[in-house]
Each structure stands twice: as C-alpha cells, then as structure tokens.
Amino acid sequence: MPHSKRSPGRSRWYAFHSRGRTQRGGRGYALWRHIWLVLPILAGCSTVPLSTALPDSTSSEALSAWAPYTLPGKRSTHYTRDAVGLRAEADSSASLYRRAVRVEPAELGRVEFSWLVPALIAGADLTLRDTEDAPVRVMLAFDGDHATLSARARRQFELAEALTGESPPYATLMYVWDNKAQLESVIPGGRSDRIRKIVVDSGPGHLGQWRQHLRQIANDYRHAFGEDPGPLIGVALMTDSDATRSAVTVWYGEVRLVAADGSRR
C-alpha cells in the first residue's frame, strides 16, 4: 500500500479524544457529537531517534521531547515524575503526554513499555462510548494514504480538518488496560474505525504490580487494521476518567522504540 510522505521538519501527528462533548443545542454541538477532538503536534526535526524513553530530571533534551497536552474543553490529567515513575493523576479529566516521532515502515520493530495500576476505574468499559475510560493507554499514531479511507472516514477527516485546520492521522493504535475485555482482543473506536485498541491487561488480577509489555508494532498493526502500517509519527500516553467522572492515579515506566534490526538509538 502506498503511504503519503511529509517533508522533513513538517511531520505531524494528531491524537484523538473520542468523547468530546458540547452542551446539547449549544454552538457546534451538531458537529462535535460526530467527530473526535483533533489535537495537532509538530515534529521538531527531520531525523528522529528511535529511543523514546521517558525523560529524566537530568536530560533537557528528553524533557523537550515529551510534553503534556490539554484537550480542548477537558480538565487535564496531571503528569509528573516522582520516585516511582511518571505519575498520572486523573480526576474527571483526560489529556495526553506525548512525543512526535518519524519511523518509516521498514524500520518498525517493537515498542516496550510498562505501567503500574493500583486500582481500576469503576464502571469503565472501552467498548461503550459513554464509559470509555482507561487507567492507562500507550498510543501510536500512523501516517498513510488518505485516499484509501472509506467514504465515512473521509467525511470525518474533512470535517475535522475544517474545524481544526489540520488533518487527522491515518490510524491510531492503542494498547490499553480494560476492566473486563478479553486479553489480545481488538476494540474499534466508538466513532471511527481508524482507532483500534488492543487489550494487553484486563481485570484486577495484576493490580498494584508493574506490568512489562513488549509488542511487535507492525504485527499488531496488521492484526488490528488488516493492512500494513505506514510511518509511525507519534507516541503518547493517556490516562482518562472524564466519562465516568471518577479519579485514578497510575504510573508509567519507560516507553522505548527498538528498530527492526534490534538497535536502540
């Protein structure tokens, strides 16, 4: 499959929040109830290293690579570093901690990440729009050939671009912890088939424990979308509890990309 390419210095990725709400009957409601809130981020340079370890307190370069991003109209989840890891505190909130990257399809290898979840979000269910919260998510955004999208997806993308001035990513793959979904199941996005969630932890069995995950990016993408991936253009973390109006605190460890040849750069 052909994939669109972006010029160096202008590569972008856009993370979607699938539950943007506007008061019924209010300005823009008819538009927002059909689409995600689209969030643009610019990639800084033409050469992007594959290592995306979370920043430490001594690395100004790493600190500039990862940054929190607030979703319009949403309370922010607070991301801070402590002695345990990257602490995410959500209180009826949803926001991202993210980094732009550029990894071509031939270079895609694996993503390694870890998280610690003390408690699940009561009532959360990623299969339902109204309760689609997750204590932890690792999100990968991909570029691709927008001409191959379905007519419905193109309409959504055109509307999103008209509202924001930016085009959404071709596809977003998430790794998630759900309350009850089957392990390795794929949950499609509630409002777009260009989001797919792979359940890598489920239920209360491993609460309070560090969970380590190693995933083959291209294989997971093919499993979730049924096609080959395009360039990887963004990585993000997201802890959200706005749909259930609840509070949750979790920790993330390193997020690292490893090239297809096994090298870490």
Side-chain angles (χ1 to χ4, degrees):
M1 175 184 296
H3 301 288
S4 63
K5 295 184 179 179
R6 301 180 188 273
S7 60
R10 296 183 60 192
S11 176
R12 292 185 172 130
W13 82 281
Y14 311 84
F16 286 82
H17 190 280
S18 61
R19 293 182 307 282
R21 299 186 184 92
T22 304
Q23 184 177 359
R24 189 175 295 272
R27 182 180 181 183
Y29 173 78
L31 295 176
W32 286 116
R33 69 190 177 94
H34 292 299
I35 65 169
W36 304 316
L37 295 176
V38 184
L39 308 177
I41 185 175
L42 299 179
C45 59
S46 59
T47 302
V48 180
L50 291 182
S51 174
T52 59
L54 290 175
D56 58 48
S57 59
T58 62
S59 174
S60 59
E61 181 180 358
L63 285 170
S64 65
W66 286 87
Y69 190 87
T70 300
L71 294 153
K74 297 288 183 179
R75 295 179 63 180
S76 293
T77 296
H78 296 289
Y79 297 95
T80 56
R81 286 195 61 84
D82 62 17
V84 178
L86 181 74
R87 180 187 180 103
E89 298 175 276
D91 185 359
S92 300
S93 62
S95 62
L96 306 176
Y97 196 71
R98 66 186 186 175
R99 182 188 177 183
V101 300
R102 180 80 187 187
V103 183
E104 298 302 323
E107 298 175 348
L108 288 174
R110 65 183 185 268
V111 58
E112 301 172 359
F113 58 91
S114 60
W115 51 39
L116 172 65
V117 177
L120 298 175
I121 300 173
D125 186 340
L126 287 169
T127 67
L128 302 176
R129 292 183 185 181
D130 292 338
T131 57
E132 196 216 352
D133 284 336
V136 283
R137 307 179 192 232
V138 171
M139 307 164 62
L140 305 179
F142 296 84
D143 202 0
D145 184 359
H146 287 215
T148 65
L149 294 171
S150 67
R152 177 175 180 269
R154 288 198 300 273
R155 287 194 298 270
Q156 289 177 326
F157 280 36
E158 289 168 2
L159 180 56
E161 186 167 5
L163 290 169
T164 66
E166 302 289 351
S167 178
Y170 179 77
T172 302
L173 178 65
M174 301 184 186
Y175 299 106
V176 298
W177 190 324
D178 188 64
N179 285 16
K180 59 184 179 181
Q182 183 177 350
L183 286 176
E184 298 299 326
S185 61
V186 177
I187 303 174
R191 291 176 172 83
S192 172
D193 61 2
R194 301 317 300 167
I195 287 182
R196 304 289 168 88
K197 292 159 276 191
I198 297 181
V199 179
V200 296
D201 278 307
S202 184
H206 296 287
L207 292 176
Q209 304 172 16
W210 275 106
R211 298 288 293 157
Q212 308 282 338
H213 293 283
L214 186 157
R215 307 294 304 194
Q216 297 295 328
I217 297 173
N219 289 347
D220 281 343
Y221 186 97
R222 293 186 189 103
H223 175 59
F225 289 97
E227 62 190 33
D228 290 334
L232 176 65
I233 54 174
V235 182
L237 311 176
M238 180 173 169
T239 293
D240 55 306
S241 64
D242 59 317
T244 55
R245 297 292 188 264
S246 56
V248 65
T249 299
V250 302
W251 284 265
Y252 294 90
E254 280 193 330
V255 178
R256 187 179 296 276
L257 298 175
V258 181
D261 62 4
S263 64
R264 299 189 182 202
R265 292 176 270 168

